[in-house]
Amino acid sequence: MPDIAQVISTLAVMVAAAPLILMIGVGGSALIGQPPGEPATARLIRMTVSVSLICAVGIFVGMLATGDRHVVLDLGEWVSIRAHEGGHDHVYPFRVKLIFDRLSIPFLVLSLILCGTIGAFAVRYMHRETGFDRFFVLYAMFMLGIVLASVAGTIETLLVGWELVGLSSALLVAFFHERPAPVRNGLRVWVIFRVSDTALVMAAILIHHSLGSGEFERLVGAEAWPGGRASVSSGELLAIGLLIILAAACKSALVPFSGWLPRAMEGPTPSSAVFYGALSVHLGAYLLLRVGPLLDESPALSSIVVVLGLSTALYAYVTASVQTDIKSALSFASLAQVGIIVAEIGLGWRFIPLVHILGHGFLRTLQFLRAPTLLQDYRHLENALGERLPRGAGIGARVFTPRLRTWLYRFALERGYIESLLAEYVGKPFVRLFRWFDRLERNAIDSFGGGESASSTEDGRIASDRR
Amino acid sequence: MDVLLRIGGDMNLHAVPWLELGLISPVLGAALAARCRDARAGWRIAFSSSGAAFACSLLAWAGHIALAARGEPSPPGVIDRLSGVRIFGLDEMTGPLLPFVALLHLLIVAGTTGGKAARLSFGSLLALESVNLAAFAAIHPQVLAGLLALGTVVPVFELSSRGRSIRLYSAHMGIFLLLLGLGLGVGHREGYATTLAWVPLTVAVLIRCGIAPFHLWIGDLFSRGAFGTAILVVTPMTGVLAAVRLLVPVCPDAALEPLGALSLVTAVYAAGLAVVQVEVRRFMACLCIGNTALVLTGISLGSEIGVTAALGLWISAGIALTGAAFALRAAESRIGVITLVEFRGLYSRAPALAVCFLSAGLATVGFPGTLGLLPLEVLIERAVAANILIGPAIAIAIALNGFAILRAYAIVFTGRPHASVIPLSVTQRERFTVLALALLVFVGGVLPQPLLDSRQEAARALIEQRARHSPATPIPVPRDPDR
């Protein structure tokens, strides 16, 4: 009879394998031009999510039975390059390790329950919608990404999940791609996620450089979460920590990267529920929890996290107050909670933010899924009450002067001017600089080889001088 | 790799001169296609001879692996016996590169349909393939230089036949050939890789690779030449071949440093330019320049793992760039010249092309699950080990390329569905290409170890060559390819 450790290992492999099968099944069939159709897609989703969830719960039960709170499944080196140079052995290992502990199991179970719920909802919501297959390819990519990110035991594995979540999110925001607005918003989301990916890649490389491996156990110790101790020098710790905070801030839409969140409203409601309400927006906070020992070692890093969290919460609260559509209001409300969660992490708490993530994730998913029927819900409530729902004046009306209230209102309406500041001082100078280079090149080509090339103008229009 | 080893071992492959057959089949195809006036028949000839070249080069590689596993040298080929000198052969470096180059040509030929097939000269495409394959199979430096020179001629004919100016292209290539001849001539006359030898060789390599400020010819070729020809001139990265065959084995570290620095700057610069492009062909040119620059950056690192990553990137980026360019070329054949200004809405008409462009494009930036992931990851890791500033610069270049690719995807494939009275869906030929590319990108992404193993052997051989031929030692004579 197999021992419990063996059973847990098998279950752990199946946790990650099930979403992979879903991705291959849905994506592969779409690639060869033979999409599986709505009923088969629904069955495949039910099956894979159920298998993954049952296995995750099985691991949890196994851990309770054995008393082991930190199960590491080493799937070995996916890729390894070894070289002997200058009298030293150099190794590049890409190790695939999965960690099941008090952090990853709850987040994994949350992810799978919500993915299953959203999957079941979306099968009906997207029924006969153009792009049904495309939606579920992206859904499968998202689910694979979030599962990998949840149980990643190495920074490389986390990075794979992180990038899958990023791309699927951006493409889902641009899902209704017949209209330009969702596509433009998807591109904005993608820009922020690329910054996040790049920061995480740099952090991964620095970790490799410092420790010779990207394993979290090497970085924060092999103690069961939330224990552990950073094993890098203070300078490296600061650099790695700052890069991870940047990656987390972009992914969780913390200030000043919050601009993508309302833009992401363009996606279908099921994807909004998954991203802004429940999972994607919490991924940054999850990463901070995973590297908690780094924050514990550095008051500077902890302070930055607290400031980021509180400023995000405040900003989101103020901005949410003036939103006029339910999805935007919910997304900013979500952000306010994420800000508080991040501040809690910065203050050194570990279990409170984890519980906060779980509770917030479930609540917000429900709210997002109910969002399309909000007016009907209000009508039911008011019918039941027999009167209009009460609308009290906010705290601002009692505390702030009219002048300050006006300023705050404008600030909130313009979403803190954050996006326009970033566009003005980062985006536009970049575009201007490279358009200038481009013009120089075209002029050089035209003057040397005859004027045939098209040139870009400031507003991105093409000024053609083709002959 | 094991499969190839088994095939090579079981079939006694070296009894048949697969390498020579692979080299000769596009030559024959070019001769036949040049006489053919019917586009359909021309395509059939081109596809058959490109397919034969690919199959033969694959078998030649399998034979090489089998012999190398047994520690036996490969017998000289027919051409070698006739000339009395080892001219062509496969070694650790070019073993997989030969089928790689043949595959790129096969994919472009296979995906040439309709109007493109009527306008494109299959004869010149096959002539280019012959020269490219011969260059990758050449182990004699002078022969390689001659083939590199010959490879510059096809685009000249192509541009001239379209009535386009060849001034910029021919000026760059003229200087390239002059410096190449000077570098090899001086090096061989004196027998040493002196400054007089490596400086012109370095500049020649920079020009052929399109490293800034010598990159204008690539944008020019893409803008004015045939898209298919431009892709096949640039994506095999023949300039990198010149670097690893003629320059890197003999040059001092002083040559590698500026080569690496300029390449790194070019990678970031080209990625920035790709983001703001308004023409799809120039966008593609920027991607090609940036990726070639990344390969050269990796080679200039000099460490075994860094060079391994760069050589892996050479193949992965070559395939991915060809895939992305193929999709854009197919899109162009449907809706004419594409500008990256207004949404074209091609997804609803040809979703397979959109998927092909996106997956191949993301492979160029090392997206998880694609062929490019590991080479780029390892490259950044080694770059950081060499110099803390190189790694972030590469990461920034990759991030910018990633944004540029999604932007191009959005503009070409999304938006209100393109109005057309004729069907624009992919043809069978194009579907074959799309599936082949997807298979390569994703299977290679899931199983990257064989590629990296093969590239590590090549990197090791290159570093050994460098160690043998330090600046004070003679330029290498043609070496036995199977040692």
Side-chain angles (χ1 to χ4, degrees):
Chain A
M1 193 177 158
D3 61 9
I4 293 183
Q6 242 179 343
V7 173
I8 289 178
S9 296
T10 312
L11 293 176
V13 171
M14 286 166 72
V15 162
L20 186 63
I21 290 167
L22 177 65
M23 179 71 213
I24 293 169
V26 182
S29 56
L31 190 70
I32 57 170
Q34 302 287 330
E38 293 191 17
T41 304
R43 273 197 301 275
L44 195 58
I45 288 170
R46 264 201 306 274
M47 201 174 69
T48 49
V49 174
S50 304
V51 167
S52 201
L53 183 60
I54 290 167
C55 293
V57 173
I59 294 168
F60 176 61
V61 172
M63 286 166 71
L64 287 179
T66 56
D68 194 351
R69 298 291 179 265
H70 184 75
V71 174
V72 177
L73 178 69
D74 192 347
L75 296 176
E77 284 176 350
W78 177 41
V79 168
S80 162
I81 310 176
R82 291 164 202 283
H84 184 80
E85 290 171 304
H88 299 286
D89 285 323
H90 297 278
V91 185
Y92 177 86
F94 193 115
R95 189 167 275 282
V96 181
K97 251 186 180 182
L98 307 181
I99 289 184
F100 296 88
D101 58 10
R102 280 177 285 196
L103 175 63
S104 64
I105 287 276
F107 196 76
L108 176 66
V109 170
L110 168 81
S111 303
L112 290 169
I113 289 176
L114 294 185
C115 279
T117 310
I118 301 293
F121 178 85
V123 165
R124 286 169 181 77
Y125 187 89
M126 302 297 292
H127 177 56
R128 291 194 176 176
E129 180 83 47
T130 317
F132 179 93
D133 302 309
R134 183 159 47 93
F135 177 87
F136 281 101
V137 170
L138 298 174
Y139 167 91
M141 190 192 289
F142 177 84
M143 187 170 131
L144 177 62
I146 200 86
V147 167
L148 282 179
S150 304
V151 298
T154 64
I155 189 115
E156 297 90 355
T157 318
L158 175 78
L159 193 60
V160 170
W162 196 266
E163 291 202 29
L164 287 173
V165 167
L167 180 69
S168 56
S169 304
L171 291 177
L172 275 169
V173 170
F175 180 77
F176 296 114
H177 60 199
E178 292 81 13
R179 289 185 289 121
V183 177
R184 290 204 180 99
N185 289 336
L187 285 176
R188 293 251 184 171
V189 173
W190 179 241
V191 172
I192 301 293
F193 283 178
R194 285 309 286 171
V195 176
S196 174
D197 296 344
T198 307
L200 199 61
V201 166
M202 289 314 305
I205 298 304
L206 277 183
I207 293 170
H208 255 274
H209 193 54
S210 313
L211 304 170
S213 133
E215 293 167 42
F216 285 125
E217 283 186 315
R218 299 274 296 271
L219 179 67
V220 295
E223 277 179 58
W225 188 86
R229 195 177 168 77
S231 52
V232 285
S233 69
S234 58
E236 288 167 337
L237 186 142
L238 192 64
I240 292 168
L242 285 174
L243 285 167
I244 286 178
I245 290 171
L246 176 62
C250 292
K251 201 62 132 195
S252 285
L254 304 181
V255 168
F257 305 106
S258 314
W260 68 262
L261 193 65
R263 290 183 175 277
M265 292 305 127
E266 298 278 2
T269 292
S271 64
S272 309
V274 174
F275 304 140
Y276 333 122
L279 298 176
S280 186
V281 85
H282 287 131
L283 204 52
Y286 177 81
L287 174 62
L288 293 178
L289 282 173
R290 175 58 71 203
V291 298
L294 294 188
L295 304 180
D296 294 339
E297 296 273 320
S298 167
L301 290 177
S302 300
S303 310
I304 291 170
V305 171
V306 172
V307 170
L308 265 180
L310 290 180
S311 51
T312 302
L314 195 64
Y315 161 80
Y317 170 74
V318 171
T319 314
S321 311
V322 301
Q323 297 306 311
T324 51
D325 68 286
I326 182 63
K327 279 173 81 175
S328 296
L330 281 176
S331 70
F332 278 110
S334 228
L335 188 57
Q337 292 302 313
V338 172
I340 294 170
I341 291 168
V342 168
E344 289 164 357
I345 295 169
L347 288 170
W349 299 331
R350 295 294 173 261
F351 286 106
I352 290 175
L354 178 59
V355 173
H356 198 160
I357 288 175
L358 300 180
H360 180 235
F362 283 122
L363 172 74
R364 209 59 81 183
T365 305
L366 176 68
Q367 287 183 328
F368 266 103
L369 292 185
R370 293 299 302 177
T373 55
L374 179 83
L375 293 177
Q376 200 179 348
D377 289 351
Y378 265 46
R379 205 176 302 129
H380 284 315
L381 279 173
E382 289 176 346
N383 286 345
L385 288 170
E387 58 180 334
R388 292 275 174 204
L389 284 166
R391 281 172 168 256
I395 191 170
R398 296 194 300 273
V399 176
F400 301 133
T401 61
R403 197 187 158 103
L404 185 59
R405 279 211 306 272
T406 309
W407 183 86
L408 264 179
Y409 179 73
R410 282 190 184 145
F411 176 85
L413 208 57
E414 293 292 334
R415 290 167 178 168
Y417 305 100
I418 290 176
E419 258 209 317
S420 47
L421 285 174
L422 279 178
E424 194 62 37
Y425 294 106
V426 181
K428 278 188 184 169
F430 172 87
V431 171
R432 273 198 206 116
L433 176 70
F434 279 97
R435 283 205 178 133
W436 181 73
F437 282 133
D438 192 43
R439 266 199 307 278
L440 277 185
E441 283 199 6
R442 285 172 190 278
N443 289 341
I445 291 174
D446 290 348
S447 59
F448 203 80
E452 286 175 14
S453 64
S455 59
S456 59
T457 58
E458 283 298 310
D459 63 352
R461 294 277 142 195
I462 195 162
S464 181
D465 57 342
R466 283 172 191 283
R467 288 179 188 163
Chain B
M1 196 79 97
D2 290 342
V3 177
L4 285 175
L5 180 60
R6 215 171 303 133
I7 293 170
D10 291 349
M11 290 175 61
N12 194 21
L13 285 174
H14 33 275
V16 182
W18 294 114
L19 180 63
E20 283 80 359
L21 286 175
L23 297 181
I24 210 79
S25 65
V27 177
L28 292 175
L32 285 173
R35 299 162 68 93
C36 182
R37 292 284 164 263
D38 177 31
R40 218 174 263 262
W43 181 85
R44 273 198 294 272
I45 292 167
F47 184 73
S48 316
S49 40
S50 265
F54 173 62
C56 291
S57 56
L58 206 59
L59 290 168
W61 182 30
H64 165 73
I65 292 172
L67 283 174
R70 292 204 295 265
E72 289 175 24
S74 66
V78 182
I79 301 170
D80 299 337
R81 277 200 295 271
L82 287 174
S83 63
V85 189
R86 284 309 293 267
I87 294 176
F88 295 115
L90 292 182
D91 59 9
E92 298 86 348
M93 179 65 74
T94 52
L97 286 177
L98 201 68
F100 153 73
V101 174
L103 179 68
L104 299 189
H105 285 81
L106 176 64
L107 291 175
I108 292 297
V109 169
T112 302
T113 55
K116 287 275 179 201
R119 284 196 304 276
L120 189 76
S121 162
F122 284 112
S124 59
L125 209 63
L126 289 170
L128 183 64
E129 178 172 4
S130 319
V131 177
N132 275 344
L133 284 178
F136 275 82
I139 52 172
H140 195 286
Q142 271 79 12
V143 173
L144 172 59
L147 288 163
L148 289 173
L150 209 56
T152 62
V153 176
V154 175
V156 173
F157 283 118
E158 189 74 55
L159 287 168
S160 304
S161 67
R162 292 169 162 247
R164 304 296 167 93
S165 165
I166 57 165
R167 264 188 294 171
L168 189 71
Y169 177 80
S170 41
H172 277 87
M173 290 305 119
I175 298 169
F176 160 68
L177 293 177
L178 189 74
L179 294 171
L180 189 67
L182 190 68
L184 285 179
V186 169
H188 275 266
R189 195 165 50 245
E190 297 190 2
Y192 296 95
T194 59
T195 310
L196 262 180
W198 66 257
V199 168
L201 273 179
T202 306
V203 181
V205 163
L206 291 174
I207 294 174
R208 191 65 184 81
C209 288
I211 301 300
F214 310 108
H215 63 292
L216 294 181
W217 68 271
I218 294 185
D220 185 50
L221 185 64
F222 267 90
S223 296
R224 299 174 201 223
F227 205 168
T229 309
I231 295 167
L232 292 176
V233 168
V234 177
T235 55
M237 301 188 196
T238 324
V240 180
L241 178 73
V244 297
R245 284 296 203 206
L246 303 176
L247 177 68
V248 177
V250 293
C251 73
D253 291 344
L256 285 185
E257 282 167 16
L259 189 77
L262 271 176
S263 302
L264 187 63
V265 171
T266 303
V268 179
Y269 174 72
L273 278 184
V275 171
V276 301
Q277 280 313 305
V278 291
E279 265 188 298
V280 87
R281 287 189 178 205
R282 267 186 66 81
F283 157 77
M284 208 53 237
C286 292
L287 274 192
C288 291
I289 293 169
N291 276 279
T292 310
L294 283 178
V295 174
L296 270 189
T297 306
I299 289 171
S300 69
L301 291 176
S303 67
E304 188 178 318
I305 297 181
V307 176
T308 301
L311 298 181
L313 184 63
W314 186 355
I315 292 181
S316 70
I319 291 171
L321 288 170
T322 305
F326 158 78
L328 292 178
R329 179 169 172 257
E332 204 183 61
S333 72
R334 284 162 171 74
I335 56 176
V337 174
I338 302 173
T339 56
L340 294 174
V341 176
E342 54 192 345
F343 293 99
R344 305 305 296 262
L346 210 56
Y347 185 97
S348 55
R349 302 288 176 190
L353 288 183
V355 172
C356 176
F357 176 76
L358 194 60
S359 45
L362 290 172
T364 65
V365 295
F367 193 75
T370 64
L371 188 62
L373 171 68
L374 260 297
L376 278 171
E377 285 278 326
V378 182
L379 181 62
I380 299 177
E381 205 267 347
R382 279 294 95 187
V384 169
N387 184 326
I388 198 78
L389 294 176
I390 302 178
I394 295 177
I396 289 168
I398 294 169
L400 289 173
N401 278 337
F403 176 66
I405 283 159
L406 208 69
R407 173 179 170 265
Y409 165 80
I411 294 175
V412 177
F413 293 102
T414 71
R416 192 182 303 158
H418 182 81
S420 170
V421 290
I422 54 164
L424 298 177
S425 56
V426 291
T427 60
Q428 285 302 316
R429 292 178 197 172
E430 287 172 333
R431 189 170 291 282
F432 162 79
T433 311
V434 167
L435 288 177
L437 281 163
L439 203 68
L440 280 170
V441 164
F442 292 118
V443 173
V446 175
L447 303 166
Q449 189 74 55
L451 171 72
L452 291 172
D453 283 346
S454 118
R455 298 301 72 203
Q456 189 172 15
E457 281 174 32
R460 211 172 279 149
L462 186 65
I463 288 166
E464 278 171 17
Q465 268 183 298
R466 263 183 78 71
R468 275 203 304 275
H469 307 290
S470 62
T473 53
I475 278 182
V477 289
R479 57 193 287 271
D480 189 337
D482 290 303
R483 267 178 54 209

